[in-house]
Amino acid sequence: GNNTGRGTAVITRTRTKTRKPSLYRVLLLNDDYTPMEFVVHVLERFFQKDHETATKIMWHVHNHGVGECGVYTFEVAETKVAQVMDFARQHQHPLQCVMEKK
Ligand code: TYC
């Protein structure tokens, strides 16, 4: 409210510092060389997908060129991208993982 009832104006705080964090989509990109099983493993390991969901996402990326692994706040999305890129490089696969603001 804005008034106590005796003509005394009172400023009430309508928002105390809470702000919805921006969200980022983490995407996998298709390529011709990364093995399908490796992509499924990445989705299970870094994005907590079950085997069936991971397989569906992998086929979606394979068929459409790009697909969503998950939606996260900036720092979490950044970490996922770095982890996937490191893991792919360690295994010498050209798999690309990127993030985009929703
Ligand atoms: N196109 C790859 C193949 O045929 C499989 C693949 C799927 C690669 C998804 C990357 O993000 C990817 N082996």
Side-chain angles (χ1 to χ4, degrees):
N2 197 306
N3 204 293
T4 55
R6 272 186 237 83
T8 307
V10 173
I11 307 299
T12 53
R13 199 181 293 188
T14 54
R15 199 185 70 216
T16 308
K17 202 183 134 181
T18 54
R19 193 107 253 197
K20 287 181 183 170
S22 298
L23 294 176
Y24 294 78
R25 251 178 232 111
V26 174
L27 306 171
L28 278 180
L29 308 184
N30 188 39
D31 65 72
D32 292 339
Y33 305 103
T34 304
M36 290 183 175
E37 321 79 63
F38 185 83
V39 177
V40 171
H41 179 69
V42 161
L43 287 159
E44 292 172 345
R45 177 166 175 158
F46 298 108
F47 300 96
Q48 282 73 51
K49 305 301 185 190
D50 61 40
H51 193 75
E52 186 188 328
T53 304
T55 302
K56 281 182 180 159
I57 295 171
M58 183 283 296
W59 277 112
H60 176 95
V61 176
H62 178 78
N63 289 324
H64 296 88
V66 60
E68 184 179 297
C69 309
V71 175
Y72 307 97
T73 53
F74 184 86
E75 287 204 13
V76 174
E78 232 189 0
T79 301
K80 302 270 183 203
V81 169
Q83 287 174 333
V84 172
M85 294 299 285
D86 282 357
F87 192 62
R89 190 185 41 73
Q90 280 169 24
H91 292 266
Q92 298 183 300
H93 296 312
L95 181 64
Q96 294 292 116
C97 183
V98 299
M99 61 195 271
E100 66 170 33
K101 201 163 194 285
K102 270 198 89 177

